[in-house]
Amino acid sequence: MKQLYFILTIFVACISYGQSNIKGIVTDGYQPVAGATVSLEIPNYITATDGDGAYLLEDVPAGNHTLTISYIGFKTVTKQLSVTPGKELTVITTLKEDDKALEEVVITGTMKEVSRSDSPIPVEIITPKLFRKNPTASLFEAVGMINGVMPQLNCNVCNTGDIHINGMEGPYTMILIDGMPIVSALSTVYGLSGIPNSIVERIEVVKGPASSLYGSEAMGGLINVITKSPSKAPTVSADYFFTSWGELSADAAVKINAGKASSLLGINYFNYNVKADKNNDNFTDVTQQNRISIFNKWSFERKENRLASIAARYVYEDRWGGEMQWTKQFRGSDSIYGESIYTKRAELIGLYQLPFTEKIFTQFSYNWHNQNSWYGTTPYMATQQVGFLQTYWDKQFGENHTFLLGAALRYTRYDDNTPATASADGTENRPQNTPLPGIFVQDEWTLNDKHKLLGGYRFDYDRNHGGVHSPRVAYKFSPDVQNTFRASFGTGFRVVNLFTEDHAALTGARQVVITESLKPERSYNGNLNYVWKFPAKPFILNLDVTAFYSYFTNKIVGDFDTDPTKIIYANLNGHAISQGISVNTDLQFNFPLKLMAGISYIDVFRIENTLGESQRIQQLHAPKWSGNFIATYSLPNNYSVDVTGNWYGPMRLPIQPNDYRPEYSPWYCTANIQFTKKMDYGLEIYCGFKNIFDFVPRYSLMRPFDPFNKDADNPVSNPNGYTFDTAYNYASLQGRRVFLGMRYNLGI
C-alpha cells in the first residue's frame, strides 16, 4: 500500500509539473472590462473577466497556446503564449474600441462592402452602441441621433410620423432592411417602429438622391437597417426598460446553431396604456400603444463561403389617441372623438449567391401590410403588397475597376376605400397594380491611391409615366490619411403614390383633394463633402462637413392654406429647392471623455408660379437650424454617464386664417441623461431622465372641445371660423420622465 501511495504521489506531481495557470487583467485603457470572453484554442479552456477585469485559466497544459480576448464593441485581441510547466503566467491586455464611426464597413452607398473611408459616397452610421446612450422603444426615435435626420410627428392625436432627411418630407426617404426596399408608401412609419433593437448591426444613412441604385422613392435619401449575421450575434441579448409615464419596452434575441445553419430570433414588445392629459385639453397627449414584433433570420454555410440567408418579420400594433373618455365602442362614431389604427404586417427577405465562379447575387423581398383605421368618423382601410426581385453581378476588372450590373423588378398592389382606388364614377373598386422593372450599372474606378471615380446609371419603366433615367457620378480625393474630399451628383425620382398613412391621418380633420393627374417627381442633387482627421496627444478630432443642393421638379405639394378644411394636392407649377450645410464633429480625449456634436443649416422652399408671378414659400416642418450632441464620460468601477440631445430652430407650421397660434415654432431643445453601471458577465443596469428641460409645445389642438366641427359654423361662438385641426405639431407632448432599465449580452 505504501508503494502504491508513493507511485500515485509521484504521478500527480508529474502532471502538476506539466501544467500551469494563466491569469490576467483586461482593461480599455481607463478602467477594467467586465464580462470579456477569454479562451484558449483547446476545448474547455474558456472563462470571463470579473468586475475587476480579472480572469484565471487553471491547469493549462505546457506548450505554445493562442489566447483570445473578445468583448462587444472592442477589437478582438489574440496573443501567442508559451506556458512553462509549474510557472504561472500573468497577461495584461488593453482592448481598443472598435470605432464604427471611423472605419466601419458600409454597403449602402455602392451596394457592396467597402470601408467607410474608402467609399466615394458619404455614408453616416448609427450603431447599437450609439443609440444605447439614449434608450428608445423603436428605431424611428433612434435615428434622430443623426445630424440632419428628423423623426417628425405629423398628427397630435394618432402620433403618426415620418422621417425627414435634410428637411425633405417622409415620402422622399427610402427605408431598406438588409438592402431591400421592404418599407415604402403606406407602411413607412412601421418600417422602423417594430424592428427589435437587439437584432440590429448598424444603420446606414445616405443623404441625397440614390435612385441610380435603388429606384423610386430614394429622392431625398435612404436609411438602410443592417441586421446582425446569426453566426456573429451574441448567444443571448436582452434590453428592458420602463418610464415614469408608464411606457414599457422589452427587447430580446437568441442565437441558435443547427448544423451548417444558424438562426437569430428577436422579439420586441412595447406597451403604453396610461392615459395622460397634462395640457388639459381632454385629449391624450400620447397615443395608447400595444405593439409586438417577431423577427427570425437564418444564414447557411456554403462552399467557398457563398452567401445565403432568409429572414421574416411580423408586426402587430393597436394604437389610439383621442378624447379621454374614448373606448373602442366609440370607434367610428361621432359622439366621442378618437383615432384608432390596427396594423398587421408581414415581411420576407432573402439573399442567395449563385453557385458560379462569378459573384452573382439574387435578392428578394415580399411584404404584406394591412391597416384598419378610423380618424374620427373617417375610415381608412388599406392593404398593400410589395414584391421585389433583384439580381446583380459584382465583377472586378483588373486592379482598378469594380463593376456592378443588375436588374430589378418591383411589383406593388395597393387597395383602399378612398377615391385613389375607385373608378371615375366611384361605382367600382379598382386596386392599383404597379409593376416597375429596372436595370442598373455602376463602375468604381480607382485611378490611384488618392483618386477614385464612380459612375452609375439606372433605367426604370413605369407604364403610366414611361421611361425614367437616373444617372450618378461621384469623385473622391484623399491627398493623405487625414484629409478626404468627395463630390457627387445624382438624380432621383418618385412614382406617384399619394395615399399613404401620413396623409390619411389628417383626414380626420381635413378632406384630401386632388386637382389634376399627378406626374412623377424628379430631383437633381449635388454634394460636397470634406473629412478631416486630426490626431494629437491630448485628443483625436474628426470633422465632417457636407454642403448640398437639391432641385425638384413636378413636386407634389399639399396646399394647407387655401381652405382650412382641405389638403389640396397638385404638381408644383414651378420648382422646389433644398440646400444647406451640415457639420459633424467627434472628439476623443486621452482621458475617458468623448464628445460628438452636429449642426445643420437647411433651407427648404418652393418657388410657385401663379398668374405670371413667382412666390417663395417655406417648407412646412423644416427648421433652418438644427443639431445634436452626445457626451460620454467613463467613471471608475464601470460607471458611465451619457448626455444626449437634439435642438431645433423655428419651423413653419400649418395654420388657419386669423390663427392665434404663431406660424413658426420656437427654438427648443430636448436633452436626456443616462447613468450606466456595467456588472459582471455582460449585465448592465441603467437609469436616467428624458426631456430633462421638460419642454412641451405650448399649443396643440385647435378647438378640441368640438372635434366633429358640429358648431364650427356658428358665427357667435366661432367668429373666426376655426375648425378642429391636428396638424399643428412639431414636438412630442411628453414632458420630463424617468426611465430605468437593464441590458444583457452573453458571449459571441
Side-chain angles (χ1 to χ4, degrees), residues 137-138 140-141 153-161 189-190 193 243 245-248 270-277 283-291 317-324 326 337-342 374-375 501 505 701 726 729 731-734:
S138 71
F140 175 77
E141 300 173 67
L153 293 176
N154 295 322
C155 175
N156 268 327
V157 176
C158 64
N159 285 172
T160 295
V189 68
Y190 298 97
S193 291
T243 75
W245 273 58
E247 299 158 296
L248 184 153
F270 178 75
N271 181 274
Y272 176 63
N273 195 30
V274 179
K275 296 180 182 179
D277 179 24
F283 270 73
T284 54
D285 295 334
V286 182
T287 57
Q288 312 296 287
Q289 299 180 54
N290 188 31
R291 181 181 68 239
E317 184 178 53
D318 175 3
R319 62 187 170 103
W320 74 269
E323 293 186 87
M324 296 292 286
W326 190 91
Y337 188 90
E339 298 187 359
S340 172
I341 301 101
Y342 300 152
W374 281 91
Y375 304 93
E501 198 230 14
L701 298 175
T726 67
N729 188 50
S732 171
L733 292 175
Q734 276 187 301

Side-chain angles (χ1 to χ4, degrees), residues 209 219 492 522-526 549-553 574-578:
M219 286 186 70
R522 298 286 308 183
S523 67
Y524 308 87
N525 172 268
Y549 179 87
S550 297
Y551 184 94
F552 296 83
T553 61
H575 63 273
I577 290 175
S578 171

Side-chain angles (χ1 to χ4, degrees), residues 303-322:
K303 294 180 180 179
E304 300 179 8
N305 294 321
R306 292 191 179 99
L307 302 177
S309 66
I310 189 168
R313 181 169 75 115
Y314 178 78
V315 181
Y316 173 78
E317 184 178 53
D318 175 3
R319 62 187 170 103
W320 74 269

Side-chain angles (χ1 to χ4, degrees), residues 259 261 408 418:
T418 75

Side-chain angles (χ1 to χ4, degrees), residues 413-435:
R413 179 178 175 83
Y414 175 78
D415 189 17
D416 67 17
N417 64 319
T418 75
T421 57
S423 59
D425 58 7
T427 60
E428 185 180 351
N429 183 47
R430 295 179 180 177
Q432 295 177 353
N433 295 285
T434 310

Side-chain angles (χ1 to χ4, degrees), residues 30 97 538-540 586-595:
Y30 305 109
E97 186 176 354
F539 59 83
I540 298 175
D586 183 341
L587 188 60
Q588 175 71 65
F589 294 92
N590 60 2
F591 56 93
L593 174 65
K594 185 172 184 178
L595 302 175

Side-chain angles (χ1 to χ4, degrees), residues 191-269:
L192 294 181
S193 291
I195 299 177
N197 291 354
S198 55
I199 59 94
V200 176
E201 175 70 26
R202 65 187 183 273
I203 301 173
E204 300 180 2
V205 179
V206 175
K207 299 175 182 177
S211 291
S212 64
L213 275 186
Y214 295 99
S216 177
E217 298 180 29
M219 286 186 70
L222 58 88
I223 297 173
N224 190 6
V225 180
I226 310 295
T227 61
K228 293 177 180 177
S229 169
S231 61
K232 298 179 181 179
T235 303
V236 177
S237 62
D239 194 340
Y240 170 87
F241 74 88
F242 62 92
T243 75
S244 57
W245 273 58
E247 299 158 296
L248 184 153
S249 176
D251 194 276
V254 60
K255 178 174 70 175
I256 303 170
N257 293 320
K260 292 186 177 182
S262 55
S263 171
L264 179 64
L265 175 65
I267 299 176
N268 174 267
Y269 177 71

